[in-house]
Amino acid sequence: MRLFPAALALLALTGACRAADTWALERWIPPFDYRSTPSEIAYQPLKKARKHWRVCASYPHLKDSYWLSVNYGMVRQARKLGIALEIVEAGGYPNLDKQKAQIAECAKSADALIVGAVSYDGLRPLVVTLSKRMPVIAAVNDIDSAGVAAKSGVSWISMGEAIGHYFATLHPKGSPKVRVAWFPGPKGAGWVGFVEEGFQRGIAGSSAEIVSVKWGDTGFEDQLLLLEDLLEEHPNVDYIIGSAVTADAAVSLLRAKNLTGRIGVLADYFTHGTYRAIKRGKVIAAPTDSPVVQGELAIDQAVRALEGTLAVSHAGPTIRIIDGKNINTIDINDSLAPASFTPTFKVE
């Protein structure tokens, strides 16, 4: 399991994904193969773009603070490099046709496209077509590699494995059985199949009994409805594990039903909500993939692709687990946008 490479001890002590103008990343060679073993690199981002490039970035949604943190990273790096950035968001993972239409329109006036896809392969024809006249960068969510110039992301297999493995340390195989409800996310999204694979691998060494699997969009109301169904079907469940939005909704629902403390909650990625909930002891743990850095890196890759200096075509931050033991000491600035930041759709 790829959670504690040599440099991770230093990262755990400093909490840093960056030092001065260098980012500590993991790089995949050959690129676009998340199943290979990445190597650690010290990545030096650009200081300024050669011209005022125009970049279009498409997100699945801005319904939770994870993508807000990606947005913050992109906006910060775009301003630093002196380029224009236009953001569009599809409103949710079921909205493939909407994302296609938004990308087609936004790309008309862009030099490069960054896409956080709602579907692993649903955008393939459009991406291939657009790649003939501009570089296409895949950010955060994995997509089919046809036409893609670079990817900024982490292995969602490793994200799922991280939280599954963490759970296994709490309830190792051979200990009393615990009933777990698993909320993978929306079927067909570019990260869900991978996080499902990794999670199942991670909990293989645990005493978990998966009593329910609930698929659905990562909107708060969607997850709340799924959680209400779960508690009707399995009132004696011991743990809820799923997306950060699942965790947020679970904290709210368990409080309303006076079940806080009886049912444990873990998330498979990290947001402002999970940060607050871990600090308050309402969520046990979550892995962070530093979405701020992923946003910054995607912008950097887009500009390098335009300027012919793209040497690192597939990289992302190191995954770190955050729990009650390190929540007060770990640096979260690479993971969370500042509280004052609001969604920003244009940088001129």
Side-chain angles (χ1 to χ4, degrees), residues 83-102:
I83 66 167
L85 175 65
E86 180 178 356
I87 306 291
V88 294
E89 59 98 8
Y93 283 95
N95 301 335
L96 176 59
D97 289 340
K98 182 177 180 180
Q99 186 170 49
K100 287 179 180 178
Q102 287 179 331

Side-chain angles (χ1 to χ4, degrees), residues 135-340:
V136 178
I137 313 299
V140 183
N141 291 347
D142 197 16
I143 62 172
D144 186 285
S145 300
V148 173
K151 291 186 178 184
S152 168
V154 305
S155 165
W156 276 87
I157 295 174
S158 294
M159 288 289 280
E161 189 173 5
I163 200 61
H165 178 77
Y166 183 91
F167 182 84
T169 66
L170 302 178
H171 299 279
K173 184 175 288 187
S175 61
K177 287 283 187 183
V178 285
R179 297 173 294 271
V180 174
W182 167 231
F183 290 66
K187 282 187 176 180
W191 53 277
V192 173
F194 300 117
V195 78
E196 160 76 2
E197 178 183 341
F199 177 72
Q200 295 298 338
R201 184 187 301 171
I203 64 164
S206 79
S207 63
E209 176 188 358
I210 305 296
V211 297
S212 181
V213 178
K214 296 287 187 181
W215 304 85
D217 189 44
T218 51
F220 186 89
E221 294 299 327
D222 299 271
Q223 292 298 305
L224 192 60
L225 289 172
L226 292 174
L227 285 161
E228 288 174 341
D229 289 343
L230 166 72
L231 294 181
E232 287 184 9
E233 297 164 3
H234 300 279
N236 294 323
V237 68
D238 298 307
Y239 284 92
I240 293 167
I241 307 177
S243 72
V245 186
T246 308
D248 291 346
V251 168
S252 177
L253 184 61
L254 295 179
R255 181 175 61 245
K257 291 185 174 292
N258 200 29
L259 292 171
T260 301
R262 194 191 73 71
I263 300 175
V265 180
L266 298 92
D268 57 33
Y269 62 90
F270 184 74
T271 65
H272 296 75
T274 48
Y275 170 72
R276 292 188 294 269
I278 292 171
K279 281 186 74 73
R280 299 197 309 265
K282 308 300 184 185
V283 168
I284 297 169
T288 179
D289 56 345
S290 302
V292 172
V293 177
Q294 291 189 62
E296 291 175 313
L297 177 60
I299 291 290
D300 205 78
Q301 288 174 319
V303 173
R304 286 184 179 277
L306 287 165
E307 297 181 352
T309 62
L310 181 65
V312 179
S313 57
H314 189 190
T318 299
I319 296 167
R320 297 172 290 162
I321 285 282
I322 298 179
D323 63 9
K325 296 177 182 178
N326 64 10
I327 189 71
N328 293 316
T329 57
I330 199 164
D331 185 350
I332 58 166
N333 291 323
D334 292 331
S335 297
L336 304 178
S340 59

